[in-house]
Amino acid sequence: MNQDLSLHQRRRPPTAEELEGIPWLAALRPGERERAVAALLVGDAKAGDYVCRVGRPVTYWFGLVEGLLKMSSDSAQGQTMTLSGVPPGGWFGEGTALKREPYRYNIQALRKSVVAGLPIDTFHWLLDHSIGFNRFVMNQLNERLGQFIAAREIDRLGSPDVRVARSLAALFNPVLYPGVGEVLRITQQELAYLVGLSRQRVNEALAALQAQGAIRVEYGGLRVLDLAALRFSVFALQER
C-alpha cells in the first residue's frame, strides 16, 4: 500500500469484526441495517492523520472502531485547545451532520486507528426512516451536552487531580464510548495530550487516584474501579 495515500484514499469496506464494533447497527431493522452496512466505509488512520478539519464540509458521520482520536480547535492566537478524546466505540459530529455545516473542530488520530464513516446522505436517510437510529442519535446528543458542560467545569478546576479524574470519567462514558468497557488502553503521554497537563503531572494524578481506589493502573492502560468517584468526588489532595 502506498503510504502517501490520504486517509480518504485508504477507505475500504469494513470487516465483519469491525461491524461488530459499531454500536448503533443493533438498533436498526434488517432493511435499515442492510442499507447502512452497504454504505459504511472504514479507513486505517496513522498517528497524526486528520479525520476532519475546521472549515471542511461534512461528508460522513464518523466513529472510532479501534485506536484513539483527539478533538481540538485553534484559537485566534494560533494556540491549539483540546476539547475531548474519542476512544473506541465513540461516534461524533452528529450535530454537524444534522446541520450539514462545516466542521468547527479538528479530529486527529493520536495513534494507529480504524475510523468508520457513514455517508451524510445515508445518515439523513436513517434519520428519516429509522426510529431506532433516531433514539441512538438523540441519546448521543443528550450525553454530548452533559459532556461539554462537564468540560466547562474541568477548565475552571484548579486541582490537576480532579482535572484528570473528570477527564477520565468522560472517556469511560458507557453511552458515548461503549467500546471502552472497564479498561481504557491509553498511555500517560496520550492522556497528557488530552488533559492539557505534563506527562509527569498526569502520572502523579494517576498515582493519587489509584491510592483513592478510583482506578488501577495496568500494563498498557487504566481500569476504572469507581466511575462515580471519578465523576463527582473532589479528591481534595495536597498539591505536590
Side-chain angles (χ1 to χ4, degrees):
M1 180 181 293
N2 184 350
Q3 296 301 308
D4 293 328
L5 293 177
S6 68
L7 178 58
H8 181 70
Q9 291 170 319
R10 279 179 262 141
R11 67 193 188 280
R12 57 174 174 79
T15 65
E17 183 178 0
E18 289 165 345
L19 289 174
E20 288 297 317
I22 298 177
W24 50 267
L25 285 176
L28 305 184
R29 294 177 179 177
E32 298 162 354
R33 179 186 170 92
E34 182 178 356
R35 185 165 184 143
V37 168
L40 277 163
L41 293 169
V42 299
D44 300 299
K46 297 177 292 185
D49 277 348
Y50 282 91
V51 179
C52 54
R53 288 178 179 267
V54 171
R56 297 285 181 85
V58 60
T59 52
Y60 291 91
W61 180 45
F62 288 110
L64 184 64
V65 178
E66 180 183 331
L68 184 67
L69 305 177
K70 176 182 74 170
M71 177 184 291
S72 65
S73 64
D74 297 325
S75 69
Q77 291 74 35
Q79 296 178 324
T80 299
M81 179 176 63
T82 298
L83 302 176
S84 70
V86 181
W91 284 74
F92 54 90
E94 53 276 349
T96 302
L98 278 167
K99 293 179 284 187
R100 295 180 183 262
E101 67 179 14
Y103 289 106
R104 299 183 181 180
Y105 48 81
N106 297 314
I107 296 286
Q108 189 176 20
L110 287 180
R111 69 167 87 121
K112 184 179 178 181
S113 302
V114 179
V115 180
L118 182 72
I120 190 66
D121 289 339
T122 307
F123 174 85
H124 278 272
W125 185 90
L126 288 172
L127 286 177
D128 292 338
H129 294 86
S130 174
I131 293 176
F133 187 74
N134 273 272
R135 286 175 176 165
F136 182 90
V137 171
M138 182 171 62
N139 285 337
Q140 286 275 115
L141 291 170
N142 185 52
E143 288 292 327
R144 192 84 65 203
L145 177 61
Q147 182 188 53
F148 281 101
I149 290 175
R152 291 283 294 179
E153 177 191 20
I154 291 173
D155 287 339
R156 299 180 182 182
L157 294 174
S159 167
D161 299 301
V162 179
R163 187 182 183 94
V164 172
R166 298 296 190 270
S167 297
L168 282 175
L171 293 171
F172 277 104
N173 186 306
V175 176
L176 290 176
Y177 312 122
V180 174
E182 294 182 349
V183 178
L184 175 66
R185 299 301 174 189
I186 191 170
T187 67
Q188 292 180 7
Q189 185 59 65
E190 289 169 339
L191 185 58
Y193 285 141
L194 298 179
V195 178
L197 296 171
S198 69
R199 182 182 180 278
Q200 179 181 3
R201 190 60 189 85
V202 166
N203 182 48
E204 293 173 353
L206 292 177
L209 296 176
Q210 181 168 249
Q212 293 284 329
I215 64 168
R216 183 166 66 239
V217 179
E218 299 184 354
Y219 179 76
L222 303 169
R223 180 179 294 274
V224 63
L225 303 177
D226 190 342
L227 182 57
L230 292 178
R231 286 176 169 171
F232 305 116
S233 293
V234 175
F235 295 109
L237 306 171
Q238 181 177 357
E239 290 297 318
R240 289 169 290 282

